[in-house]
Amino acid sequence: MSVYTPLSTAELEHFLSRFALGSLQSFRGITAGIENSNFFVSTGAGEYVLTIFEHHTADEVQDFVRLARHLGQQGLRVPAPVADRQGEWLHQLKHKPAILCPRLPGEHISNPQPEHCAAIGSALAQLHIAAADLSPMRPDNRDYHWWLSTGPQLVSALNEQERGLLEDELAYQTAHRADWLALPQGWIHGDLFHDNALFSDDGQVAILDLYNASAGALLYDLAVVANDWCCDVNGVWKDGCVEALLSGYQTVRPLTAAEQAGWNLVLRGAALRFWLSRLLTRRLQQQQAGELALQKDPAEFMQKLLRRRAQ
């Protein structure tokens, strides 16, 4: 949620004129995240988040919002866009898809503890169950096949040791592809890092940023959370966090035997995926500098992959 597409006050006021939300009071760019341009927007009617999609088409955005609406109807706290006076919620802003969503209550947790991990585990399981009857599912554009095609494109940015690690892990994941395919599948969030959740004083959790939601292995979603919420930047597990995450998840949806057996395999795959993603993002950011572009170090997930391989 960096700012790649800056806005002037006049441009935002023109955009807001389509809505019955009162006049613009203030706005500011959001620096957290790396893919889209986001702004906090305050109007006479309340607080909102404006998202300008930098890499997604209008059709893809419709898929995200279809999921958000479905989850919201079942009581989950997720962002859903506001409709304008004509009932339209998807717009073009500077020739890119844009939506305006109410700003959900709560605060980000900078250093998740076991109680936060248990709560997000439960919320993620609820998302998996609530989304199960929504079809069709959107394909994952950063799945195993993307790993295989993208990895070789990024080796020029790696040293010899890093290239060896990447090639070996891709070979390992390929050898265990059948184990992945045997895991329960469904809608996954795909990017549930701790800055994509809000915790309210009443204990409720809001899940943000559904813009990577797609079909996938449910266990993979849990592994993405574990690799971010439950360890430090070097991949060292924090006391009690993984146990709390798994326990919280299984109070809602118990893991199958195949999932329990495949936990380390999927942890490794999740670390590999985000190592590749950050390498690609770094290259893209060098080509297109965002006004408030947040730089995230690919080495973090390389270290996490090394830790998971050593388990």
Side-chain angles (χ1 to χ4, degrees):
M1 290 186 284
S2 303
V3 176
Y4 298 96
T5 302
L7 293 176
S8 67
T9 299
E11 288 170 330
L12 185 52
E13 286 177 336
H14 178 72
F15 176 79
L16 291 173
S17 68
R18 306 169 190 173
F19 300 83
L21 299 175
S23 60
L24 175 66
Q25 295 181 349
S26 65
F27 75 101
R28 62 182 174 89
I30 304 173
T31 59
I34 57 176
E35 290 194 347
N36 300 314
S37 294
N38 284 261
F39 303 84
F40 287 133
V41 178
S42 178
T43 77
E47 302 291 325
Y48 300 89
V49 175
L50 169 65
T51 298
I52 301 174
F53 295 88
E54 302 291 343
H55 308 292
H56 296 294
T57 66
D59 286 345
E60 289 176 317
V61 176
Q62 292 208 20
D63 269 344
F64 308 143
V65 175
R66 181 169 60 94
L67 175 62
R69 287 177 166 176
H70 182 80
L71 296 174
Q73 289 169 357
Q74 299 189 53
L76 277 72
R77 285 193 174 187
V78 294
V82 177
D84 65 12
R85 291 186 176 90
Q86 283 70 48
E88 300 291 333
W89 52 263
L90 180 58
H91 299 274
Q92 288 281 322
L93 189 52
K94 288 199 167 180
H95 309 292
K96 298 174 182 178
I99 60 174
L100 187 70
C101 297
R103 185 175 178 180
L104 294 168
E107 300 294 334
H108 295 294
I109 301 298
S110 60
N111 182 23
Q113 297 301 306
E115 61 269 26
H116 305 116
C117 295
I120 199 62
S122 175
L124 182 59
Q126 291 172 39
L127 185 154
H128 288 164
I129 291 173
D133 61 347
L134 180 66
S135 61
M137 288 187 286
R138 174 177 173 264
D140 184 1
N141 60 9
R142 295 202 169 181
D143 63 1
Y144 165 78
H145 302 288
W146 180 85
W147 305 350
L148 293 185
S149 63
T150 301
Q153 299 175 30
L154 299 171
V155 294
S156 62
L158 305 178
N159 61 36
E160 183 177 355
Q161 182 179 7
E162 293 165 344
R163 286 196 297 271
L165 172 62
L166 176 57
E167 291 168 358
D168 188 72
E169 187 60 31
L170 286 172
Y172 177 84
Q173 293 294 334
T174 297
H176 291 82
R177 184 62 183 156
D179 296 327
W180 275 90
L181 296 176
L183 297 170
Q185 308 285 311
W187 276 101
I188 62 172
H189 182 284
D191 193 37
L192 191 45
F193 283 53
H194 65 275
D195 57 358
N196 280 332
L198 298 173
F199 287 81
S200 300
D201 291 339
D202 59 6
Q204 296 195 64
V205 181
I207 293 178
L208 311 179
D209 196 352
L210 296 169
Y211 310 134
N212 288 283
S214 66
L218 302 181
L219 188 67
Y220 168 77
D221 230 5
L222 199 57
V224 171
V225 175
N227 277 338
D228 178 65
W229 293 63
C230 301
C231 60
D232 64 19
V233 294
N234 295 310
V236 177
W237 295 123
K238 298 189 295 187
D239 288 345
C241 284
V242 174
E243 296 82 357
L245 173 68
L246 294 173
S247 176
Y249 186 90
Q250 293 191 94
T251 60
V252 178
R253 179 189 167 269
L255 297 177
T256 67
E259 287 175 316
Q260 293 176 28
W263 180 231
N264 185 252
L265 168 68
V266 178
L267 284 170
R268 287 171 62 163
L272 171 65
R273 185 272 195 211
F274 282 95
W275 181 28
L276 291 173
S277 292
R278 288 193 176 182
L279 286 169
L280 179 61
T281 296
R282 182 173 65 184
R283 189 174 72 181
L284 293 174
Q285 287 180 331
Q286 289 170 350
Q287 298 169 353
Q288 177 194 7
E291 180 181 294
L292 294 172
L294 180 66
Q295 302 289 334
K296 293 194 174 182
D297 187 3
E300 175 185 339
F301 275 92
M302 184 187 72
Q303 291 299 322
K304 290 178 178 180
L305 174 58
L306 288 168
R307 290 277 182 184
R308 304 299 167 256
R309 286 164 58 96
Q311 289 179 205

